[in-house]
Amino acid sequence: MKINYKDKVELGNIPTKIQILEMLSKELNGPSVYIKRDDEIGLAFGGNKVRKLEFIMHDALEKKADIVMTSGGIQTNHGRLTVAAANKFGLKPVLVVTGEEPKRYEGNLLLNDLLGAEIHFAYNNDFDESMMNQNEANRIAGENKIKELVSLYENQGHTVYVVPRGGRSIHGTLGYTSAVQEIMEQEKQMKMKFDYVVTSVGSSSTIGGLLAGKKMYGLDAEIIGISVSRKESELKKLIIEQVNAFAEHFEEDIDINESDIKVFDGYVGEGYAIPSELGNEAIHLLAEKESVFIDPVYTGKGMSGLVDLIRKGVFKPEDRILFIHTGGAPALFAYA
């Protein structure tokens, strides 16, 4: 099967803008930093998942689904946008939130409630701490809850389409292989080329799409990921699995190995969704210098990695770096 980028629905304002962060670049006294505003892509406060959902929702409609189900953490951006996308096509949105139900709904959780999602909470406090952490235990609890709900609804005669956590899927990967083509076209319009493209890495689906797109279309820029949750070794395994599955499905000749993947895992802090000192500094820095808001779960940690690497002299002064703003600002209101 060959890739057909027309096999999608329209959810986002694409292409998204690329802007230079002049004041930030000056403050860091380093390379020129640019930002791609996928946070302004549209649909329910936007974010990178919109690109993926254009292809995922097309697949869901092709499969005649009447329920769209997914899972994520309490401040899941993916969940918010999946729920919003389902609403646009009259499909019932079901969201499994991995964590304890809070007394007060804030940030993305509040928005999911406003969007009318059927919300279920999955939390596991009975696990072997030597084998896994709380986040992993909750993720497994979420997967089990998804299976339970799918069985329940299918027994009632519904067709359920399950969107993997983070949109990490073959169709989701298309969102950022196509974004590579978009970036390359914008490079032509701007009469320049980027030396690096930097993104936050959670489920790995965004960086996986970028790396596949780089291989397919010849993007010169090196792709760098800043992990917000997992170790480098785990991410490399996930990315290779994702790209290989994508290549096999679409019959693309993509050769990828660990040496193609550059991921920094030193900016996670105490753990996923736990704000870090460097992340908080990056949030303040970008707001004060550029009036751009980033969040403490994803983009704050991603930007903190980029800022720290610049300060450590990893990049040359003449380099041009593109940071992909993957969204997430609504989570700010839950971390006041």
Side-chain angles (χ1 to χ4, degrees):
M1 180 187 296
K2 290 297 181 182
I3 293 173
N4 181 2
Y5 286 116
K6 293 181 180 180
D7 286 343
K8 69 172 187 174
V9 298
E10 291 189 9
L11 292 170
N13 302 319
I14 296 172
T16 57
K17 291 180 180 179
I18 291 178
Q19 302 167 332
I20 186 167
L21 299 178
E22 291 185 5
M23 300 309 295
L24 179 68
S25 301
K26 183 179 179 181
E27 172 72 17
L28 296 174
N29 194 30
S32 298
V33 181
Y34 294 74
I35 191 167
K36 185 159 179 62
R37 302 300 302 269
D38 279 10
D39 61 315
E40 295 184 342
I41 202 168
L43 183 69
F45 290 109
N48 61 327
K49 309 302 181 183
V50 175
R51 290 186 184 274
K52 305 170 190 182
L53 285 163
E54 289 195 328
F55 296 97
I56 290 169
M57 291 304 300
H58 181 275
D59 190 49
L61 293 170
E62 286 283 298
K63 290 181 168 60
K64 309 297 183 185
D66 60 347
I67 293 176
V68 171
M69 190 179 300
T70 196
S71 69
I74 296 231
Q75 289 303 321
T76 172
N77 299 305
H78 161 72
R80 161 176 47 90
L81 290 167
T82 302
V83 167
N87 282 353
K88 295 289 284 185
F89 298 97
L91 309 181
K92 179 183 178 68
V94 178
L95 176 62
V96 173
V97 176
T98 52
E100 292 184 282
E101 182 175 5
K103 293 180 180 178
R104 181 175 177 174
Y105 284 19
E106 297 176 313
N108 281 314
L109 185 58
L110 172 62
L111 296 178
N112 281 317
D113 188 47
L114 289 173
L115 287 165
E118 179 183 299
I119 302 174
H120 300 263
F121 291 87
Y123 178 75
N124 181 5
N125 59 1
D126 182 23
F127 61 94
D128 186 347
E129 292 185 6
S130 67
M131 300 292 290
M132 67 182 72
N133 58 33
Q134 185 68 67
N135 285 327
E136 181 66 11
N138 288 347
R139 185 187 63 79
I140 293 171
E143 290 176 355
N144 292 334
K145 188 66 177 178
I146 288 277
K147 291 175 184 176
E148 175 191 325
L149 290 168
V150 168
S151 178
L152 173 68
Y153 278 114
E154 287 183 343
N155 287 338
Q156 294 175 0
H158 294 284
T159 300
V160 182
Y161 188 95
V162 176
V163 183
R165 195 179 180 98
R168 187 176 182 272
S169 63
I170 288 168
H171 290 91
T173 302
L174 286 168
Y176 275 88
T177 59
S178 63
V180 168
Q181 292 182 311
E182 183 176 311
I183 291 168
M184 293 175 72
E185 181 59 34
Q186 288 174 310
E187 285 181 323
K188 290 179 184 177
Q189 294 169 2
M190 298 168 74
K191 297 181 180 178
M192 55 158 283
K193 286 195 174 184
F194 294 106
D195 299 288
Y196 298 92
V197 174
V198 179
T199 184
S200 308
V201 182
S203 67
S204 79
S205 57
T206 295
I207 193 172
L210 290 170
L211 286 165
K214 173 180 169 66
K215 291 279 187 178
M216 290 162 59
Y217 306 122
L219 177 70
D220 290 330
E222 181 175 358
I223 311 296
I224 293 179
I226 309 294
S227 177
V228 304
S229 58
R230 294 181 169 95
K231 292 293 185 183
E232 175 189 2
S233 57
E234 184 182 356
L235 284 171
K236 286 187 174 184
K237 181 181 177 182
L238 287 172
I239 292 164
I240 289 171
E241 287 175 354
Q242 176 194 347
V243 174
N244 285 343
F246 172 84
E248 181 179 353
H249 181 83
F250 287 109
E251 300 173 7
E252 290 286 341
D253 184 16
I254 303 174
D255 180 26
I256 189 167
N257 53 59
E258 289 195 3
S259 64
D260 296 311
I261 305 169
K262 195 164 189 177
V263 176
F264 292 89
D265 61 6
Y267 302 96
V268 175
E270 294 182 27
Y272 173 69
I274 302 173
S276 66
E277 185 177 343
L278 285 177
N280 288 344
E281 179 190 343
I283 290 169
H284 283 277
L285 185 63
L286 205 61
E288 292 170 5
K289 296 299 176 183
E290 298 289 350
S291 300
V292 173
F293 295 111
I294 52 179
D295 77 291
V297 181
Y298 295 98
T299 47
K301 290 184 178 181
M303 180 57 75
S304 78
L306 175 57
V307 168
D308 190 56
L309 293 173
I310 291 173
R311 286 173 172 164
K312 287 178 176 175
V314 171
F315 306 102
K316 299 188 293 291
E318 63 270 23
D319 283 338
R320 295 186 179 102
I321 302 171
L322 178 64
F323 180 80
I324 298 182
H325 191 330
T326 52
L332 277 171
F333 300 102
Y335 287 90

